[in-house]
């Protein structure tokens, strides 16, 4: 448990560059505010719920989480999962589901399961990142076009609907504002990366909107306070009904947070997150957030990317972002309410452009056809469906392609026999009636049948030596196929000797009832020279006629 709690090093890190962290936090807060409000509304619990989530989860996940630069709060993927829960169980059901999901995340952290996300292929992560960048951009299309009321089940459908409405009634001012802010950020970052051009762009857009009659859509009215903490939503009788939804939300929160942390690591030089601690921080945040009427939270790639690009170096940036949001609620609500949504869309457009490293993505696609397939498939499913499905499909395809590659690496080759000190007559006898094969690589379910079926139709052979010292893996399927191969050869009167069999592999054969029979019959030999000597002794007896069962191991 102690390993999951904050350390002294976390506090020391906040003192290294506090000015830069506070500036990054302010930048993220400006971007996070409309997202928090919008996701709160989309979840069905209202803008106040989204803001409470951004503030409470922003602080707790930053302090207790496993990444120093990650920013948490409400996300689009989470709201999609919550809508059915709201329809079926109402607002209290959502709060209860979030609370249960937090407990599940704490359990995953204590079980140390977060580390397994490290095994995700880089092609899946790159495809996921590119897909998320496109999804975020599509989410901003209505705001960038100044369109309201666009709705559909999928983000790309919403974007298409917004484009159709814009074409029917074009209003170029919001689009120009969004493109102007994006251009300022992208070009300004090349000129002076540490200058907060996002804030400058938003300030200019807000000023232009207030002094002109461009009729830009703004944030509008903000809630003045956060709800008072309460445990009134807890209903132990509803646990069994809400358990499935809670597990799904916990899985989504874990997956999105850990993938976001991985992406954040890739965007920095020295950052390396602790996956188990990240699960603990997200779990604690989701336990507390419902007490303030908030929705389930997770790490947010868009806000994390803004945080990184703004120069964040410690947890102070994420904490300050949450405190700025809280301050804006109490102090600057009228001023913040005047920010055009189109300007914020421009900020996210620029962020999405910088999220994707085009050169590394192109290099990955060009590396192998398997990686190209995984990247493209993960990207397409992320955009067309959702994050969890995309990662599941990407990992499944990656596993299948990896198994195929490993299976193809397995080989069986005929090798020459070393006659040793035998006489010329014995060497001739061995060469005529004994054949040796060396098996290289894994002998497992994906390769065993193909590999052992490559044994040719042996003629005038009395003994087959299978050299097993180069077998790297043997599973139950490989053992069964090996047993079947030996049985078929023995029924034809051909004795089979195994040389160099590893103790671990013999244990597998024995547990399946194969190794004991082979050992009792003297067919498991320590090394190849001893196997050749054993073959010579077998040849000293006249070979059994074809079709007999002289050497059958029954």
């Amino acid at each position: 448990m102690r390993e999951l709690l904050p350390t002294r090093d976390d506090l020391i890190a906040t003192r290294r560059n506090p000015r830069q962290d506070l500036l990054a936090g302010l930048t993220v807060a400006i971007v996070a505010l409309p997202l928090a409000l919008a996701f709160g509304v989309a979840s069905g619990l209202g803008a106040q719920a989204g803001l409470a989530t951004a503030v409470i989860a922003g602080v707790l996940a930053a302090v207790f989480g496993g990444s120093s630069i990650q920013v948490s709060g409400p996300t689009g993927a989470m709201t999609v999962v919550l809508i059915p829960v709201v329809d079926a169980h109402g607002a209290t059901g959502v709060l209860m589901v979030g609370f249960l999901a937090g407990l599940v995340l704490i359990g995953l952290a204590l079980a140390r399961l977060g580390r397994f996300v490290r095994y995700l292929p880089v092609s899946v992560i790159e495809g996921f990142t590119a897909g998320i960048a496109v999804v975020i951009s599509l989410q901003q299309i209505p705001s960038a076009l100044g369109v309201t009321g666009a709705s559909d089940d999928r983000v790309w459908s919403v974007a298409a609907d917004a484009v159709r409405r814009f074409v029917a009634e074009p209003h170029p001012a919001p689009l120009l504002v969004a493109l102007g802010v994006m251009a300022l950020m992208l070009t300004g970052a090349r000129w002076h990366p540490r200058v907060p051009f996002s804030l400058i762009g938003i300030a200019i857009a807000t000023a232009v909107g207030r002094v002109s009659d461009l009729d830009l859509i703004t944030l509008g009215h903000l809630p003045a306070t956060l709800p008072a903490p309460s445990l009134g939503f807890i209903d132990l009788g509803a646990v069994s009904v809400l358990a499935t939804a809670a597990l799904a939300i916990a899985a989504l929160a874990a997956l999105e947070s850990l993938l976001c942390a991985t992406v954040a690591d890739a965007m920095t030089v020295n950052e390396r997150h602790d996956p188990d601690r990240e699960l603990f921080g997200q779990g604690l945040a989701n336990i507390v957030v419902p007490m303030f009427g908030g929705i389930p939270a997770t790490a947010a790639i868009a806000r994390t990317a803004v945080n990184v690009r703004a120069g964040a170096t410690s947890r102070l940036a994420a904490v300050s972002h949450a405190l700025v949001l809280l301050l804006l609620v109490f102090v600057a609500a009228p001023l913040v309410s005047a920010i055009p949504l189109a300007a914020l869309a421009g900020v996210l457009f620029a962020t999405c452009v910088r999220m994707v490293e085009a050169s590394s993505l192109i290099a990955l696609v060009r590396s192998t056809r398997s990686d190209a397939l995984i990247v493209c498939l993960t990207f397409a499913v992320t955009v067309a469906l959702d994050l969890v499905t995309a990662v599941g499909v990407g990992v499944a395809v990656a596993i299948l392609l990896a198994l195929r590659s490993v299976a193809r690496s397995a080989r069986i080759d005929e090798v020459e026999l070393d006659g040793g000190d035998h006489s010329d007559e014995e060497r001739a006898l061995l060469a005529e009636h004994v054949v040796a094969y060396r098996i290289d690589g894994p002998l497992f379910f994906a390769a065993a049948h193909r590999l052992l079926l490559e044994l040719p139709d042996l003629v005038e052979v009395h003994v087959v030596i299978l050299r097993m010292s180069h077998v790297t893996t043997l599973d139950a399927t490989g053992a069964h196929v090996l047993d079947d191969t030996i049985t078929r050869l023995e029924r034809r009167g051909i004795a089979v000797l195994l040389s160099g069999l590893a103790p671990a592999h013999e244990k597998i054969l024995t547990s399946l009832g194969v190794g004991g029979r082979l050992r009792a019959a003297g067919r498991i030999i320590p090394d190849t020279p001893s196997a050749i000597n054993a073959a010579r002794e077998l040849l000293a007896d006249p070979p059994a006629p074809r079709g007999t069962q002289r050497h059958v191991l029954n």
Side-chain angles (χ1 to χ4, degrees), residues 305-341:
V306 172
N307 196 38
V308 174
R309 298 301 183 186
T313 60
S314 74
R315 302 170 190 272
L316 179 61
V319 172
S320 62
H321 123 274
L323 297 180
V324 169
L325 288 177
L326 186 61
L327 182 64
L328 290 174
V329 172
F330 293 112
V331 177
L335 180 61
V336 174
S337 65
I339 296 176
L341 293 179

Side-chain angles (χ1 to χ4, degrees), residues 531-546:
I532 295 174
N533 290 331
R536 184 189 64 178
E537 295 174 0
L538 289 173
L539 292 175
D541 297 329
R546 297 291 185 232

Side-chain angles (χ1 to χ4, degrees), residues 257-275:
S257 296
L258 293 176
L259 285 179
C260 180
T262 303
V263 172
D265 289 350
M267 296 174 66
T268 59
V269 177
N270 298 320
E271 176 68 16
R272 288 295 178 270
H273 72 282
D274 182 336

Side-chain angles (χ1 to χ4, degrees), residues 267-530:
M267 296 174 66
T268 59
V269 177
N270 298 320
E271 176 68 16
R272 288 295 178 270
H273 72 282
D274 182 336
D276 297 317
R277 185 176 167 185
E278 180 61 29
L279 290 180
F280 181 80
Q282 295 296 335
L284 185 61
N286 279 286
I287 289 175
V288 177
V289 160
M291 301 178 189
F292 291 84
I295 61 178
T298 181
I301 287 186
R303 277 154 275 182
T304 299
V306 172
N307 196 38
V308 174
R309 298 301 183 186
T313 60
S314 74
R315 302 170 190 272
L316 179 61
V319 172
S320 62
H321 123 274
L323 297 180
V324 169
L325 288 177
L326 186 61
L327 182 64
L328 290 174
V329 172
F330 293 112
V331 177
L335 180 61
V336 174
S337 65
I339 296 176
L341 293 179
L344 296 170
V347 172
L348 289 181
F349 283 151
T351 301
C352 292
V353 170
R354 295 188 296 188
M355 275 179 61
V356 180
E357 295 291 342
S359 58
S360 62
L361 187 62
I362 293 174
L364 185 62
V365 171
R366 289 179 176 176
S367 60
T368 65
R369 285 186 294 180
S370 296
D371 285 317
L373 174 62
I374 295 169
V375 168
C376 295
L377 188 60
T378 306
F379 169 81
V381 178
T382 299
V383 176
L385 299 177
D386 58 75
L387 167 65
V388 175
T389 303
V391 174
V393 170
V395 170
V397 172
I399 291 174
L400 291 176
L401 293 176
L403 286 175
R404 186 185 68 168
S405 177
V406 171
R408 287 182 174 181
S409 69
R411 298 176 54 191
I412 181 168
D413 298 311
E414 184 176 354
V415 294
E416 294 184 1
L417 291 174
D418 183 3
D421 296 332
H422 302 304
S423 64
D424 292 340
E425 180 179 353
E426 289 174 332
R427 290 195 186 94
L429 185 65
L430 290 169
E432 183 177 356
H433 297 295
V434 178
V435 63
Y437 292 93
R438 185 182 67 204
I439 301 177
D440 292 320
L443 191 60
F444 70 131
F445 70 94
H449 292 281
R450 175 189 62 81
L451 200 64
L452 295 178
L453 287 176
E454 290 182 4
L455 285 172
D457 188 11
L458 304 174
V459 180
E460 297 299 326
V461 172
H462 297 159
V463 181
V464 171
I465 299 175
L466 294 181
R467 296 176 57 181
M468 306 288 290
S469 59
H470 289 214
V471 174
T472 57
T473 302
L474 179 69
D475 68 352
T477 302
H480 277 298
V481 175
L482 181 63
D483 181 31
D484 181 64
T485 300
I486 293 173
T487 300
R488 286 189 290 107
L489 291 174
E490 294 282 358
R491 285 174 178 168
R492 294 170 51 199
I494 301 175
V496 179
L497 304 176
L498 304 183
S499 70
L501 185 65
H505 297 164
E506 183 177 351
K507 182 178 180 181
I508 295 174
L509 290 172
T510 301
S511 65
L512 295 174
V514 181
R517 301 199 307 269
L518 294 174
R519 176 67 69 180
R523 301 300 170 81
I524 297 179
I525 313 297
D527 50 53
T528 300
S530 301

